[in-house]
Amino acid sequence: MLSRRTFIGMSAAAGGLGILPSAGHASGRVLTAQPGSMRFAGEDVPATDVWAYDGQVPGPVLRYRVGEELNLTLKNALDQPTTIHWHGLRPPIEMDGVPFISQPPTAPGETFHYRFALTESGTYWYHPHVQGSEQLGRGLKGVLIIDEDEPPEVDRDILWMLDDWRMDADAVIAPFGAGHDKSHAGRIGNVVTVNGSLQTAEPVRAGERIRLRLLNTSNARLFAPHFPMDRVWIVALDGHPVPPHRPSEGRIWLAPGERADLILDLTEEPGTTVQIDDTAYGDQRRFHLMSFVYGAEPALPGRDNRPEPAALTPHILPEPDLERAERHEVVFEGGAMGGLHGAQMGDRFLSMRELVEMGHFWAINQSVPTNMMTPDPLLSLSLGSSRILDLANLTAFPHPIHLHGHAFRVLTVNGKPVPNRPWRDTFLLWPDMTAEIAFVADNPGQWMFHCHILEHQESGMMAVVDIA
Ligand code: C2O
Ligand code: CU
């Protein structure tokens, strides 16, 4: 297996990670989905053929100010259809990038124009919604940032887009479609990158306060970077502000699709290195993810007496009326070691064996869509109504559940109230976990509701919520 460490050993370090471009030049632009080439390691290892926006992984950072309009043309220079989905945004359904529901898939050589208002600040991302496992797994993804009217006071604003790749020793991306990935934990890769690079140094200056935007854009890997420092606060989740709070045990869990915005004070002495390990798969499989590498310059004044960071201005989203909200149970089943006997597909009940022969391993409320692209609605909700979904994971695997076009509040987990009921667009359900989420069905359309482990999404863990 090609580990991050072996790759790092071979790699010639490139400089300047994660510095964001300035705002304002992202309107009316063209974004081209096209084949490209990336050199992950040094000259001894061949370059990797990728599919990428404007030929680079990650794609360009799209940066706007809240209240601006996204105005962008996708040009498809791949040899298969594609679309762009704006993960976490709440556009009209026609702009959501779901093939056949929002728009026709954009064929090779064709274009599609996306245009809609950006109503909330935060850290989001964009990716195709066609052949997700392969299109994202080959590199089609990028970060979208919407700046607050009054951004928090920090010295710098940086991002780490966490991702992984499955490739062989010649750095060739491995084939897609393995049944084992679908039935188990998804396509977990063997090479981890941050901002598309194997570089592990984030140069910092003593005394800086930074905003760090973390995104997990991998197909299936969980990340849990561990910050061995005291002055670190989570200030937003999935783009939505939360009261600043310290991560429990210094770890930030991020499932595929999820984001967290942190504020960190870099209080060590000049010349220090602070290593951030990933701890998602236990101590044996802990690995070096990134390091804060302090330069030699003297500490900025005020290093030792900064006040705690102020909260970001909360987003005003339609507030679900919990007293009157109608409830729906949503049960996730199937997968290896899941004990599912079968599920309904259209008007037939299929045994697990029949489902597996068709490449399906998962079910939601004991049903599997007949057509994975355009499932029949799992739920039909009247426009403007408040709803509570009782989610339950009866499988042996974790599933990050994502709802399009809305944000939901997480009310409880395993029956216990969640402090401050954060707004999310993706929520990680561990095996045997239950959670209550609530939202107002205020955006009309047919919205995808699926697991963001892309191999699960394409093998049954996919549904539509119809709002009219
Ligand atoms: Cu990140 Cu259905 O999408
Ligand atoms: Cu899943």
PDB file of all heavy atoms in Angstrom, residues 85 87-88 98 125 127-129 136 257 402 404 448 450 452 454 457, ligand 1:
ATOM      1  N   HIS A  85     -22.925  20.367  -8.673  1.00  0.00           N
ATOM      2  CA  HIS A  85     -23.786  20.546  -7.501  1.00  0.00           C
ATOM      3  C   HIS A  85     -23.036  21.437  -6.509  1.00  0.00           C
ATOM      4  O   HIS A  85     -21.834  21.262  -6.296  1.00  0.00           O
ATOM      5  CB  HIS A  85     -24.112  19.187  -6.877  1.00  0.00           C
ATOM      6  CG  HIS A  85     -24.760  19.301  -5.534  1.00  0.00           C
ATOM      7  ND1 HIS A  85     -25.973  19.937  -5.350  1.00  0.00           N
ATOM      8  CD2 HIS A  85     -24.367  18.884  -4.295  1.00  0.00           C
ATOM      9  CE1 HIS A  85     -26.283  19.904  -4.053  1.00  0.00           C
ATOM     10  NE2 HIS A  85     -25.332  19.277  -3.407  1.00  0.00           N
ATOM     11  N   HIS A  87     -22.580  22.092  -3.027  1.00  0.00           N
ATOM     12  CA  HIS A  87     -22.870  21.388  -1.776  1.00  0.00           C
ATOM     13  C   HIS A  87     -23.061  22.365  -0.616  1.00  0.00           C
ATOM     14  O   HIS A  87     -22.146  23.105  -0.261  1.00  0.00           O
ATOM     15  CB  HIS A  87     -21.737  20.401  -1.473  1.00  0.00           C
ATOM     16  CG  HIS A  87     -22.001  19.559  -0.265  1.00  0.00           C
ATOM     17  ND1 HIS A  87     -22.098  18.194  -0.302  1.00  0.00           N
ATOM     18  CD2 HIS A  87     -22.207  19.902   1.033  1.00  0.00           C
ATOM     19  CE1 HIS A  87     -22.347  17.732   0.909  1.00  0.00           C
ATOM     20  NE2 HIS A  87     -22.417  18.755   1.744  1.00  0.00           N
ATOM     21  N   GLY A  88     -24.274  22.315  -0.039  1.00  0.00           N
ATOM     22  CA  GLY A  88     -24.571  23.151   1.133  1.00  0.00           C
ATOM     23  C   GLY A  88     -25.318  24.423   0.803  1.00  0.00           C
ATOM     24  O   GLY A  88     -25.902  25.033   1.694  1.00  0.00           O
ATOM     25  N   VAL A  98     -28.471  18.442 -10.180  1.00  0.00           N
ATOM     26  CA  VAL A  98     -28.814  17.020 -10.167  1.00  0.00           C
ATOM     27  C   VAL A  98     -29.368  16.646 -11.546  1.00  0.00           C
ATOM     28  O   VAL A  98     -30.362  17.208 -11.986  1.00  0.00           O
ATOM     29  CB  VAL A  98     -29.828  16.705  -9.044  1.00  0.00           C
ATOM     30  CG1 VAL A  98     -30.303  15.260  -9.137  1.00  0.00           C
ATOM     31  CG2 VAL A  98     -29.194  16.973  -7.688  1.00  0.00           C
ATOM     32  N   TRP A 125     -18.635  23.724  -0.943  1.00  0.00           N
ATOM     33  CA  TRP A 125     -17.806  23.157  -2.007  1.00  0.00           C
ATOM     34  C   TRP A 125     -18.668  22.779  -3.188  1.00  0.00           C
ATOM     35  O   TRP A 125     -19.901  22.826  -3.099  1.00  0.00           O
ATOM     36  CB  TRP A 125     -16.936  22.026  -1.494  1.00  0.00           C
ATOM     37  CG  TRP A 125     -17.578  20.784  -0.946  1.00  0.00           C
ATOM     38  CD1 TRP A 125     -18.412  20.700   0.131  1.00  0.00           C
ATOM     39  CD2 TRP A 125     -17.389  19.450  -1.432  1.00  0.00           C
ATOM     40  NE1 TRP A 125     -18.735  19.382   0.349  1.00  0.00           N
ATOM     41  CE2 TRP A 125     -18.133  18.587  -0.588  1.00  0.00           C
ATOM     42  CE3 TRP A 125     -16.650  18.888  -2.475  1.00  0.00           C
ATOM     43  CZ2 TRP A 125     -18.172  17.206  -0.781  1.00  0.00           C
ATOM     44  CZ3 TRP A 125     -16.680  17.506  -2.645  1.00  0.00           C
ATOM     45  CH2 TRP A 125     -17.439  16.691  -1.811  1.00  0.00           C
ATOM     46  N   HIS A 127     -19.060  20.053  -6.740  1.00  0.00           N
ATOM     47  CA  HIS A 127     -18.628  18.780  -7.318  1.00  0.00           C
ATOM     48  C   HIS A 127     -19.709  18.302  -8.282  1.00  0.00           C
ATOM     49  O   HIS A 127     -20.831  18.787  -8.233  1.00  0.00           O
ATOM     50  CB  HIS A 127     -18.356  17.769  -6.199  1.00  0.00           C
ATOM     51  CG  HIS A 127     -19.548  17.411  -5.348  1.00  0.00           C
ATOM     52  ND1 HIS A 127     -20.570  16.599  -5.795  1.00  0.00           N
ATOM     53  CD2 HIS A 127     -19.890  17.761  -4.071  1.00  0.00           C
ATOM     54  CE1 HIS A 127     -21.472  16.453  -4.825  1.00  0.00           C
ATOM     55  NE2 HIS A 127     -21.093  17.158  -3.770  1.00  0.00           N
ATOM     56  N   PRO A 128     -19.410  17.329  -9.153  1.00  0.00           N
ATOM     57  CA  PRO A 128     -20.429  16.817 -10.074  1.00  0.00           C
ATOM     58  C   PRO A 128     -21.484  16.002  -9.323  1.00  0.00           C
ATOM     59  O   PRO A 128     -21.259  15.570  -8.194  1.00  0.00           O
ATOM     60  CB  PRO A 128     -19.644  15.880 -11.004  1.00  0.00           C
ATOM     61  CG  PRO A 128     -18.205  16.120 -10.730  1.00  0.00           C
ATOM     62  CD  PRO A 128     -18.109  16.674  -9.341  1.00  0.00           C
ATOM     63  N   HIS A 129     -22.623  15.800  -9.973  1.00  0.00           N
ATOM     64  CA  HIS A 129     -23.627  14.880  -9.419  1.00  0.00           C
ATOM     65  C   HIS A 129     -23.962  13.779 -10.422  1.00  0.00           C
ATOM     66  O   HIS A 129     -25.078  13.250 -10.451  1.00  0.00           O
ATOM     67  CB  HIS A 129     -24.878  15.624  -8.957  1.00  0.00           C
ATOM     68  CG  HIS A 129     -25.353  15.187  -7.605  1.00  0.00           C
ATOM     69  ND1 HIS A 129     -26.093  14.047  -7.406  1.00  0.00           N
ATOM     70  CD2 HIS A 129     -25.146  15.713  -6.375  1.00  0.00           C
ATOM     71  CE1 HIS A 129     -26.344  13.908  -6.111  1.00  0.00           C
ATOM     72  NE2 HIS A 129     -25.768  14.910  -5.460  1.00  0.00           N
ATOM     73  N   LEU A 136     -15.718  12.368  -8.784  1.00  0.00           N
ATOM     74  CA  LEU A 136     -15.020  12.980  -7.650  1.00  0.00           C
ATOM     75  C   LEU A 136     -13.711  12.238  -7.364  1.00  0.00           C
ATOM     76  O   LEU A 136     -12.695  12.845  -7.043  1.00  0.00           O
ATOM     77  CB  LEU A 136     -15.887  13.003  -6.393  1.00  0.00           C
ATOM     78  CG  LEU A 136     -16.871  14.175  -6.288  1.00  0.00           C
ATOM     79  CD1 LEU A 136     -18.102  13.910  -7.123  1.00  0.00           C
ATOM     80  CD2 LEU A 136     -17.253  14.468  -4.856  1.00  0.00           C
ATOM     81  N   GLY A 257     -18.130  15.338   2.841  1.00  0.00           N
ATOM     82  CA  GLY A 257     -19.124  16.393   2.647  1.00  0.00           C
ATOM     83  C   GLY A 257     -19.108  17.444   3.730  1.00  0.00           C
ATOM     84  O   GLY A 257     -19.490  18.581   3.503  1.00  0.00           O
ATOM     85  N   HIS A 402     -26.785  13.563   3.746  1.00  0.00           N
ATOM     86  CA  HIS A 402     -26.802  14.920   3.180  1.00  0.00           C
ATOM     87  C   HIS A 402     -28.159  15.215   2.555  1.00  0.00           C
ATOM     88  O   HIS A 402     -28.678  14.410   1.792  1.00  0.00           O
ATOM     89  CB  HIS A 402     -25.698  15.016   2.113  1.00  0.00           C
ATOM     90  CG  HIS A 402     -25.686  16.300   1.339  1.00  0.00           C
ATOM     91  ND1 HIS A 402     -25.766  17.537   1.947  1.00  0.00           N
ATOM     92  CD2 HIS A 402     -25.589  16.549   0.009  1.00  0.00           C
ATOM     93  CE1 HIS A 402     -25.728  18.485   1.003  1.00  0.00           C
ATOM     94  NE2 HIS A 402     -25.616  17.912  -0.171  1.00  0.00           N
ATOM     95  N   HIS A 404     -30.126  18.039   0.172  1.00  0.00           N
ATOM     96  CA  HIS A 404     -29.914  19.171  -0.740  1.00  0.00           C
ATOM     97  C   HIS A 404     -30.913  20.310  -0.476  1.00  0.00           C
ATOM     98  O   HIS A 404     -32.026  20.069  -0.015  1.00  0.00           O
ATOM     99  CB  HIS A 404     -30.139  18.723  -2.188  1.00  0.00           C
ATOM    100  CG  HIS A 404     -29.039  17.895  -2.765  1.00  0.00           C
ATOM    101  ND1 HIS A 404     -28.764  17.868  -4.115  1.00  0.00           N
ATOM    102  CD2 HIS A 404     -28.134  17.057  -2.199  1.00  0.00           C
ATOM    103  CE1 HIS A 404     -27.746  17.051  -4.354  1.00  0.00           C
ATOM    104  NE2 HIS A 404     -27.345  16.535  -3.207  1.00  0.00           N
ATOM    105  N   MET A 448     -32.369  15.818  -3.394  1.00  0.00           N
ATOM    106  CA  MET A 448     -31.660  14.601  -3.084  1.00  0.00           C
ATOM    107  C   MET A 448     -31.407  14.513  -1.577  1.00  0.00           C
ATOM    108  O   MET A 448     -31.111  15.523  -0.919  1.00  0.00           O
ATOM    109  CB  MET A 448     -30.306  14.589  -3.790  1.00  0.00           C
ATOM    110  CG  MET A 448     -30.409  14.432  -5.269  1.00  0.00           C
ATOM    111  SD  MET A 448     -30.733  12.708  -5.632  1.00  0.00           S
ATOM    112  CE  MET A 448     -31.755  12.909  -7.077  1.00  0.00           C
ATOM    113  N   HIS A 450     -29.220  11.754   0.615  1.00  0.00           N
ATOM    114  CA  HIS A 450     -28.408  10.563   0.373  1.00  0.00           C
ATOM    115  C   HIS A 450     -27.194  10.496   1.270  1.00  0.00           C
ATOM    116  O   HIS A 450     -26.794  11.486   1.882  1.00  0.00           O
ATOM    117  CB  HIS A 450     -27.966  10.517  -1.100  1.00  0.00           C
ATOM    118  CG  HIS A 450     -27.067  11.639  -1.532  1.00  0.00           C
ATOM    119  ND1 HIS A 450     -25.707  11.618  -1.353  1.00  0.00           N
ATOM    120  CD2 HIS A 450     -27.335  12.827  -2.136  1.00  0.00           C
ATOM    121  CE1 HIS A 450     -25.176  12.729  -1.840  1.00  0.00           C
ATOM    122  NE2 HIS A 450     -26.141  13.498  -2.323  1.00  0.00           N
ATOM    123  N   HIS A 452     -23.321  10.492   1.751  1.00  0.00           N
ATOM    124  CA  HIS A 452     -22.256  11.123   0.969  1.00  0.00           C
ATOM    125  C   HIS A 452     -21.031  10.230   0.824  1.00  0.00           C
ATOM    126  O   HIS A 452     -20.004  10.658   0.290  1.00  0.00           O
ATOM    127  CB  HIS A 452     -21.880  12.490   1.536  1.00  0.00           C
ATOM    128  CG  HIS A 452     -21.623  13.502   0.458  1.00  0.00           C
ATOM    129  ND1 HIS A 452     -20.472  13.500  -0.305  1.00  0.00           N
ATOM    130  CD2 HIS A 452     -22.379  14.503  -0.017  1.00  0.00           C
ATOM    131  CE1 HIS A 452     -20.537  14.487  -1.180  1.00  0.00           C
ATOM    132  NE2 HIS A 452     -21.693  15.107  -1.030  1.00  0.00           N
ATOM    133  N   LEU A 454     -19.864   8.002  -1.558  1.00  0.00           N
ATOM    134  CA  LEU A 454     -20.429   8.022  -2.918  1.00  0.00           C
ATOM    135  C   LEU A 454     -20.723   6.621  -3.427  1.00  0.00           C
ATOM    136  O   LEU A 454     -21.625   6.427  -4.236  1.00  0.00           O
ATOM    137  CB  LEU A 454     -19.472   8.769  -3.844  1.00  0.00           C
ATOM    138  CG  LEU A 454     -19.210  10.210  -3.350  1.00  0.00           C
ATOM    139  CD1 LEU A 454     -18.099  10.850  -4.163  1.00  0.00           C
ATOM    140  CD2 LEU A 454     -20.472  11.060  -3.391  1.00  0.00           C
ATOM    141  N   GLN A 457     -24.088   5.870  -2.034  1.00  0.00           N
ATOM    142  CA  GLN A 457     -25.101   6.643  -2.760  1.00  0.00           C
ATOM    143  C   GLN A 457     -25.501   5.914  -4.044  1.00  0.00           C
ATOM    144  O   GLN A 457     -26.675   5.858  -4.390  1.00  0.00           O
ATOM    145  CB  GLN A 457     -24.529   8.022  -3.083  1.00  0.00           C
ATOM    146  CG  GLN A 457     -25.465   8.888  -3.899  1.00  0.00           C
ATOM    147  CD  GLN A 457     -24.794  10.160  -4.384  1.00  0.00           C
ATOM    148  OE1 GLN A 457     -23.663  10.468  -4.025  1.00  0.00           O
ATOM    149  NE2 GLN A 457     -25.507  10.907  -5.206  1.00  0.00           N
TER     150      GLN A 457
HETATM  151 CU1  C2O B   1     -22.239  16.882  -2.008  1.00  0.00          CU
HETATM  152 CU2  C2O B   1     -25.743  15.178  -3.366  1.00  0.00          CU
HETATM  153  O1  C2O B   1     -23.994  16.060  -2.735  1.00  0.00           O
END
